[in-house]
Amino acid sequence: MLKAIIIKFIYFLFMIKVALVDDHQLFRKSLSLLLSSCEGISVVYDTSDGMAFLKYLEEAELDVLLLDLEMPIVHGSDVCKQAKFIDPDLKVIILSQLTSKEAVHQVMEIGANGYFTKNSSPDILEDAIRNVFDKDYYFDIALSTVIREALLWKRKRNTFSDTPSVHLTPREIQIIQLATKEKCSKEIADSLNISTRTVEKHRKHIMEKTDSKNFIGVILYALKSNLILLEDV
């Protein structure tokens, strides 16, 4: 009996712990049921109340938050910002029906790690969760054109003009370029013949240097500095 409890506890430690915050109960419960069938993923909390979630987060250990933008009382963007303040390592995927470049731009600005449209196939959601957990960012492939438009729109508005120039080492530039090809830290480590831990340290330093909330911010900086091309994203 004790052995079974220990095994269950160890298994839970290595699960990707997910929370759902969405004011549509049927959608939320359906999503929770779907994710419960995914190996290595556990929905540990769900609510329609953004404030209740933030209180929960202060005491909880969580890996990924699936968050609706359009919610009453507290808007999803405010929940995202406060959640990132409480736990900077939390990965946030925005769930929304909005697919305009302005909506995608807003997601980039609030520090979310990814964007998943509610019109997408539910099967893709598991990949989205694993991507933000392993690679720090994810955008629904159906939004690829819109994402490029949002990045181009951001450039045209000169929102990079006040971004200070920083020195990135050749190794750091390599890591950014590999990350844009959707490689996780282990895959990057294998490509460069270095340890995964070293890659994680580089990623952290790159984010600090570029003053980025997540790796989406790093990619935006790399685009501004012509370290990568828009076509690479």
Side-chain angles (χ1 to χ4, degrees), residues 31 34-35 66 95 116 121-130:
L31 215 56
L34 171 70
L35 292 175
L66 301 180
L95 302 172
F116 187 86
S121 168
D123 298 335
I124 302 174
L125 185 58
E126 181 181 354
D127 290 336
I129 291 171
R130 297 193 190 283

Side-chain angles (χ1 to χ4, degrees), residues 122-211:
D123 298 335
I124 302 174
L125 185 58
E126 181 181 354
D127 290 336
I129 291 171
R130 297 193 190 283
N131 266 271
V132 296
F133 184 75
D134 292 332
K135 305 174 185 179
D136 198 46
Y137 75 97
Y138 172 87
F139 275 95
D140 191 336
I141 192 169
L143 285 174
S144 57
T145 301
V146 177
I147 292 165
R148 290 189 180 95
E149 287 178 358
L151 293 169
L152 190 58
W153 182 62
K154 190 177 179 73
R155 267 186 171 178
K156 287 180 178 178
R157 287 167 58 91
N158 294 319
T159 50
F160 287 130
S161 58
D162 58 350
T163 303
S165 177
V166 298
H167 173 69
L168 294 173
T169 66
R171 177 66 84 198
E172 289 170 339
I173 293 171
Q174 282 181 311
I175 288 172
I176 294 172
Q177 292 170 338
L178 288 169
T180 61
K181 300 181 186 301
E182 297 191 350
K183 291 184 179 293
C184 66
S185 292
K186 184 181 184 305
E187 291 169 331
I188 293 173
D190 291 342
S191 297
L192 300 178
N193 293 316
I194 57 179
S195 69
T196 302
R197 186 175 180 181
T198 299
V199 173
E200 290 297 335
K201 285 182 178 179
H202 278 305
R203 289 173 71 111
K204 183 179 179 181
H205 289 158
I206 293 167
M207 289 170 61
E208 289 173 351
K209 282 184 176 182
T210 58
D211 194 27

Side-chain angles (χ1 to χ4, degrees), residues 63-69 76 80 84 90-96 98 103-117 125 127-129 131-133 135-141 143 147 213-217 219:
D63 298 310
V64 178
L65 167 63
L66 301 180
L67 175 65
D68 185 22
L69 268 186
C80 179
K84 285 287 190 175
L90 178 67
K91 314 298 184 185
V92 180
I93 299 176
I94 297 298
L95 302 172
S96 180
L98 303 175
V104 174
H105 176 258
Q106 181 186 16
V107 170
M108 295 174 177
E109 288 295 303
I110 63 178
N113 300 78
Y115 194 88
F116 187 86
T117 65
L125 185 58
D127 290 336
I129 291 171
N131 266 271
V132 296
F133 184 75
K135 305 174 185 179
D136 198 46
Y137 75 97
Y138 172 87
F139 275 95
D140 191 336
I141 192 169
L143 285 174
I147 292 165
K213 298 173 184 175
N214 52 43
F215 227 73
I216 292 175
I219 291 170

Side-chain angles (χ1 to χ4, degrees), residues 12-27:
F12 179 75
L13 285 179
F14 288 95
M15 297 278 279
I16 300 175
K17 291 175 275 296
V18 177
L20 302 174
V21 180
D22 192 296
D23 64 324
H24 294 92
Q25 184 175 1
L26 181 61
F27 176 79

Side-chain angles (χ1 to χ4, degrees), residues 11-52:
Y11 180 70
F12 179 75
L13 285 179
F14 288 95
M15 297 278 279
I16 300 175
K17 291 175 275 296
V18 177
L20 302 174
V21 180
D22 192 296
D23 64 324
H24 294 92
Q25 184 175 1
L26 181 61
F27 176 79
R28 193 175 73 248
K29 295 301 182 182
S30 298
L31 215 56
S32 180
L33 185 62
L34 171 70
L35 292 175
S36 67
S37 66
C38 298
E39 185 177 353
I41 295 176
S42 176
V43 177
V44 297
Y45 184 82
D46 75 84
T47 183
S48 61
D49 187 336
M51 289 303 297

